[in-house]
Amino acid sequence: MKVLVVGGGGREHAIIKKLKQNPQIDRIYALPGNGGIAMDAECVDIKATDLDGIVRFAVEKGISYAVVTPDDPLVLGAVDRLEEKGIPCFGPRKNAAVIEGSKAFAKDFMLRHGIPTAAYRIFTEVEKALAYVRTAPLPLVVKADGLALGKGVVISQTREEAVQAVEGAMCLHAFGSSGDTVVIEEFLSGPEVSVLAFTDGETIVPMMSSMDHKRAGDGDTGLNTGGMGTVAPNPFYTADIAERCMETIFLPTVRGMKAEGREFRGCLYFGLMLTKDGPKVIEYNCRFGDPETQVVLALMESDLFDVMRAVTEGRLKDASVRFSDQHAACVIMASKGYPLAYEKGFEINVPEDVMPWTLFAGAKQKDGHLYTSGGRVLGVTAVAGTLKEALNEAYARTERVSFDNAFYRSDIGQRALQATEE
Ligand code: AMP
Ligand code: GLY
């Protein structure tokens, strides 16, 4: 079978490596992939947002199955377009991907279905948004409605910051048209948990929980990034909490989407905050998280392709979705300066025994060598019997990978480790 994977980051590299374990797949194409993914799949220079190009390629090559993982092609309707040509896909259709594509939709949806989330207001007029932030209780969280590469959320401690955030999104168009509508919500606190779940629109099967580290610097300082490292499982996510999330969040979400004619098939990502008043949804994503996928798939024992097809064909309730009881850690190595400006083009050196544990994001190949080409360059993963061992091993491997201008956080997993030792 020929499988196509749309995307080109560490998440797609993790998915491709896992798909390769299925003997029915003889060829995987990555669109566009990257220089590191090229070691595991055939990379084709078609952008993930070029829906015409993707569909043309899939038809020409006789693709049997397509996996669409990045947010923008999903929100643009890549799955609908491929399905029109009779190609089965993993990923939600456009009318379901809106759960990530519009935060205003997601918030109103949660309100309609009684799903716990932060209290909020939605504004399409800047004057009204400004009037609100001048009096609402601080801190305030200002979010651009649409996709913004993980950068559309500003937590404002002061009124000046909140005013700036509103003006940045609505007047200066910092996030393009994504900021024409803003969601302003109450600030919540508590440990954060990422739960990715397979769903075929009816059945929902959560994967192993994980913890992302979104800030660029140690001690959760610096700017928000796409994610600087992950651990799984997340020690704050106990069996009791998991059960409560299933009842109050996961099932109502899947049922609510179906009832609204927006059946969701694919991977639904729940960004949760465990507040004093119970678990609440911080965000939905319509896809696998990055770098959560790197640790979650490292622990997945079942065959990913079998599960994906069960999702597509609406028979998830009969599928086997098993995870090992080990621990996984992933450290992201980035280019210094990320998430703002950074230099690239530096040679990447990965020892041979670390290569199987390395998943590439911003890497280019030239004359058989790998060079940095993005902010997040690669992720190094480890799996072990305890979180501490997984972290030690991941860092020991990371220290042996080198490229000029590299940086990584040195405290991935420390908060999780403290929680397990308390
Ligand atoms: P999002 O892109 O919606 O996941 O937001 C990015 C990050 O901002 C989250 O991972 C949280 O750490 C933080 N955040 C978002 N919404 C809230 C909120 N209502 N209260 C506190 N922190 C928040
Ligand atoms: N790691 C968070 C995300 O994928 O959005």
Side-chain angles (χ1 to χ4, degrees), residues 103 107 117-119 140-141 143 150-155 185-190 192 212 214-215 224-225 269 271-273 281-285:
K103 289 187 193 289
K107 297 296 290 192
T117 187
L140 274 174
V141 184
K143 299 184 173 185
K151 294 170 192 165
V153 174
V154 179
I155 296 173
E185 55 179 48
E186 95 186 278
F187 177 80
L188 299 177
S189 56
E192 284 188 54
D212 193 7
K214 285 211 166 89
R215 301 295 202 92
N224 256 331
T225 70
Y269 168 127
L272 305 172
M273 195 170 266
V281 177
I282 288 284
E283 65 162 344
Y284 288 119
N285 290 333

Side-chain angles (χ1 to χ4, degrees), residues 285-297:
N285 290 333
C286 64
R287 51 171 177 87
F288 285 95
D290 190 349
E292 285 90 341
T293 303
Q294 285 85 318
V295 282
V296 170
L297 292 189

